[in-house]
C-alpha cells in the first residue's frame, strides 16, 4: 500500500474542531480495548437506510501473498512550532466499528478502541488504553481492488478506501481524536495510509509512512458492509 504525505484538508480541520469539544461522552459508548466483542449500536430500519456500516482496523500486513490481519501498530509524530519533532510520537493499536451516514457525517453508533503509548526523546512517557466515543467524520473513497487476502472481513463485507475521524477517550483521562486513513489497492490520490491523532493539546498530525512491505506497521483497513446485505 503506498502512502502520501497528508490527509485531505477536511480531515485536519475535523481533528482540530473535535479536539476542542471532545468532553461530551456519547451515550452509545462501548468499551472495546482493541477487540470487536461488542455489537454495533442498535439502529432502527428507517435510520439504517442510507448508512455505511464500517469496521476499521490498524492491521498487520504481510506479502507473498498480500495478506491483511488484525493486530497491527501505527505511529504518528508531533510538530513543535514549524519543526518536526520525531522523538515526540504516539503509537496505536486498535479496531472498531461505526455506522455513518453515506453523506459523510458523524455518528454516535460506535464500538471499539485499543492501546496507546507516547514517546518523548525516544523514551516511553505514558501508555494505556483508549475507547472510541463518537465518529466525527467518515468519507468513503471507493472499493478496493480485490487483490488483498483479507482475513478480517466477514462474508458480507468488502474492503474500502477512505478516511475517518474518531473521537476517543484515553485511559489517563485525556481526550483526543484518532484519524484513520486507508490508501489500499485502487485508491485515489490524496489519502494518507496510517493514523494521525490528538491527545489533549498535543497534535500528532504527521503520520508515519508505511514504507516497504517488509516493514509491518502504519497500515489500516476499512471493511464496509455490502449494500445488498441485510
Amino acid at each position: 500500500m503506498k502512502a502520501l504525505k497528508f490527509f485531505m484538508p477536511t480531515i485536519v480541520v475535523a481533528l482540530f474542531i473535535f479536539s476542542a469539544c471532545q468532553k461530551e461522552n456519547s451515550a452509545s459508548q462501548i468499551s472495546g480495548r482493541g477487540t470487536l466483542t461488542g455489537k454495533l449500536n442498535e439502529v432502527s430500519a428507517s435510520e439504517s437506510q442510507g448508512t455505511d456500516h464500517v469496521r476499521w482496523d490498524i492491521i498487520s500486513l504481510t506479502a507473498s501473498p498480500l495478506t491483511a490481519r488484525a493486530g497491527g501498530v501505527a505511529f504518528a509524530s508531533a510538530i513543535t512550532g514549524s519543526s518536526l519533532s520525531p522523538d515526540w510520537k504516539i503509537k496505536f493499536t486498535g479496531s472498531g466499528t461505526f455506522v455513518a451516514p453515506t453523506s459523510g457525517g458523524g455518528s454516535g453508533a460506535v464500538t471499539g478502541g485499543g492501546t496507546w503509548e507516547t514517546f518523548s526523546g525516544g523514551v516511553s512517557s505514558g501508555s494505556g488504553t483508549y475507547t472510541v466515543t463518537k465518529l466525527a467524520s467518515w468519507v468513503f473513497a471507493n472499493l478496493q481492488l480485490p487483490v488483498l487476502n483479507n482475513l478480517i472481513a466477514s462474508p458480507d463485507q468488502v474492503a474500502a478506501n477512505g478516511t475517518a475521524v474518531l473521537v476517543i477517550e484515553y485511559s489517563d483521562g485525556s481526550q483526543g481524536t484518532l484519524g484513520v486513513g486507508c490508501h489500499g489497492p485502487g485508491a485515489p490520490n490524496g489519502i494518507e495510509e496510517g493514523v494521525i491523532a490528538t491527545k489533549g493539546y498535543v497534535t500528532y498530525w504527521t503520520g508515519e509512512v508505511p514504507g516497504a512491505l517488509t516493514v509491518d506497521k502504519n497500515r489500516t483497513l476499512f471493511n464496509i458492509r455490502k449494500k445488498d446485505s441485510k
Side-chain angles (χ1 to χ4, degrees), residues 78-117:
I79 291 177
T80 300
S82 59
S83 301
L84 179 64
S85 300
D87 288 335
W88 276 61
K89 290 186 177 183
I90 191 166
K91 178 177 74 173
F92 287 99
T93 68
S95 61
T97 61
F98 57 80
V99 180
T102 53
S103 58
S107 170
V110 297
T111 72
T115 66
W116 62 273
E117 183 175 9

Side-chain angles (χ1 to χ4, degrees), residues 5 26-27 29 40 76-77 82 93 109 132 150 171 175 178 180-181 188 214:
K5 232 176 165 182
S26 169
Q29 175 180 339
L40 285 173
S77 298
S82 59
T93 68
V132 178
N150 189 346
S171 54
Q175 309 292 315
L178 175 64
V180 182
T214 53

Side-chain angles (χ1 to χ4, degrees), residues 46-64:
S46 60
E47 290 173 329
S48 64
Q49 293 178 357
T51 59
D52 282 338
H53 295 245
V54 183
R55 169 171 171 161
W56 64 272
D57 285 86
I58 297 173
I59 66 170
S60 173
L61 187 72
T62 55
S64 301

Side-chain angles (χ1 to χ4, degrees), residues 55 150-158 223-226:
R55 169 171 171 161
N150 189 346
L151 301 183
I152 301 173
S154 61
D156 65 343
Q157 293 177 327
V158 62
N223 284 294
I224 189 169
R225 193 172 75 178
K226 298 174 184 176

